[in-house]
Amino acid sequence: MRFDSALGLESRKGPLAIAGKVLVYGLMVIVFTGPLVGLLMSAFSKTLDPTSFSLWPDEFTLENFVQAKDKNVYLYLLNSFIVVGFGLLLQMLVSVFAAYSLARKKFRGMTFVMLLMLTTMMLPEEIIAIPLSLVLADMPLLHVNLIGTYAGMILPVGAWGFSILVMTEFMKEVPVELEEAARIDGAGELRIFATIIVPLCRPALGVIGVFGFTMIWDQYLLPLIVAPESDMWTLPIALRSLRSDEEVGIGVLLAASLLALLPSIIAFLAFQRQFMRGLTSGAVKG
């Protein structure tokens, strides 16, 4: 990531300018990576001092992670992976198909549908908590109770207005001429969608993949509603429980926090190229 344009440093030359750049970039590295390094080192330290910061663990140990196993942290981690894996897959599928309908098709009520999606993004989770719990306890038409099931944590995150809007705006910029040429060659609707539209939207898929993963991974209220028993808790709920447990040391809590943080970092690194292309391009030019 470049900060030259934002800070106006690209026009500065000479030794003082170089020293200034080194100082500014050094401060940025400390601010953004300092907490992560502190958490990483503390999770592997045997003795902890909350008032000190170390670049190397004091008395390196894996005991915190061993104790985390005794507190079922790895079970909660597995639950989180199950929810985010199926939830993100469902969310991306729904976003791609919904965006294709909104961006490439014209139908009556399209503006109302877009407004409805924007409205869902403006409502805090606390407002829909009670209605959501009632719906999950008795699914309309099907009359199925999803409380206490993984499906109850996966289905509500399957459609997210942000992802649909990002994909919609990106698909609008795909040249219509590409579709027309494909139709002349005899390609059907599904083939055009799968071989032309979706491949050109890979940068947008990277954007919604990173944001979608983070949104689902950080879910707290939804698993709290759906999971009545602790064996179905996800890691965010478990962290709150560990924090209030007087028998759990701070080392175990830091180890669990590190386990909760790493997947988000790995997800960003995995989608980094497409994510950055999606943010910088914003559209596909023919």
Side-chain angles (χ1 to χ4, degrees):
M1 182 180 295
R2 295 192 58 184
F3 295 93
D4 288 348
S5 298
L7 299 176
L9 299 178
E10 73 280 1
S11 61
R12 305 294 182 179
K13 306 296 181 181
L16 292 178
I18 295 176
K21 292 180 181 180
V22 171
L23 178 61
V24 171
Y25 297 151
L27 290 175
M28 289 180 177
V29 170
I30 293 174
V31 170
F32 288 108
T33 65
L36 177 60
V37 172
L39 174 62
L40 181 63
M41 296 301 103
S42 299
F44 290 98
S45 295
K46 185 174 182 180
T47 58
L48 296 173
D49 182 3
T51 63
S52 65
F53 177 82
S54 176
L55 294 176
W56 188 255
D58 184 19
E59 298 184 51
F60 181 88
T61 181
L62 296 175
E63 184 64 24
N64 295 328
F65 294 91
V66 175
Q67 295 181 14
K69 180 181 178 181
D70 298 334
K71 295 297 181 179
N72 293 328
V73 170
Y74 298 108
L75 173 62
Y76 306 141
L77 182 63
L78 176 62
N79 291 337
S80 293
F81 277 125
I82 292 174
V83 173
V84 77
F86 288 99
L88 183 59
L89 177 61
L90 178 61
Q91 185 180 109
M92 294 184 74
L93 287 174
V94 171
S95 299
V96 169
F97 282 104
Y100 182 70
S101 299
L102 293 171
R104 315 304 288 186
K105 306 298 177 182
K106 302 296 182 182
F107 57 90
R108 185 174 301 176
M110 180 185 299
T111 304
F112 175 75
V113 173
M114 297 292 291
L115 180 62
L116 187 61
M117 286 191 298
L118 287 173
T119 302
T120 61
M121 297 172 58
M122 300 176 186
L123 293 176
E125 291 184 343
E126 293 77 9
I127 293 180
I128 63 174
I130 295 178
L132 180 61
S133 64
L134 295 176
V135 170
L136 292 176
D138 185 13
M139 289 289 292
L141 301 179
L142 299 177
H143 299 292
V144 176
N145 183 9
L146 297 181
I147 299 298
T149 65
Y150 287 113
M153 291 184 279
I154 294 172
L155 291 180
V157 300
W160 189 27
F162 173 81
S163 296
I164 296 176
L165 289 175
V166 170
M167 289 301 304
T168 299
E169 294 304 315
F170 208 93
M171 284 187 183
K172 285 181 178 179
E173 301 300 329
V174 176
V176 180
E177 292 78 8
L178 295 177
E179 290 186 55
E180 295 175 348
R183 287 194 176 93
I184 293 175
D185 292 337
E189 196 74 27
L190 185 59
R191 185 178 178 183
I192 293 174
F193 172 76
T195 62
I196 297 179
I197 303 298
V198 174
L200 290 176
C201 293
R202 286 179 182 174
L205 290 174
V207 173
I208 68 173
V210 171
F211 282 106
F213 183 97
T214 304
M215 186 274 284
I216 301 173
W217 186 264
D218 293 338
Q219 280 290 320
Y220 179 82
L221 189 60
L222 178 59
L224 190 64
I225 294 173
V226 176
E229 303 294 335
S230 60
D231 58 352
M232 288 198 64
W233 285 356
T234 55
L235 206 48
I237 300 179
L239 287 175
R240 182 65 182 88
S241 177
L242 291 174
R243 184 179 179 183
S244 60
D245 190 346
E246 297 180 355
E247 297 181 359
V248 177
I250 188 174
V252 178
L253 182 61
L254 290 174
S257 300
L258 180 62
L259 292 174
L261 179 63
L262 286 179
S264 297
I265 298 176
I266 295 173
F268 172 76
L269 294 177
F271 289 99
Q272 182 181 14
R273 173 178 292 184
Q274 302 299 336
F275 179 77
M276 297 307 299
R277 285 179 57 191
L279 291 181
T280 55
S281 64
V284 178
K285 300 296 183 183

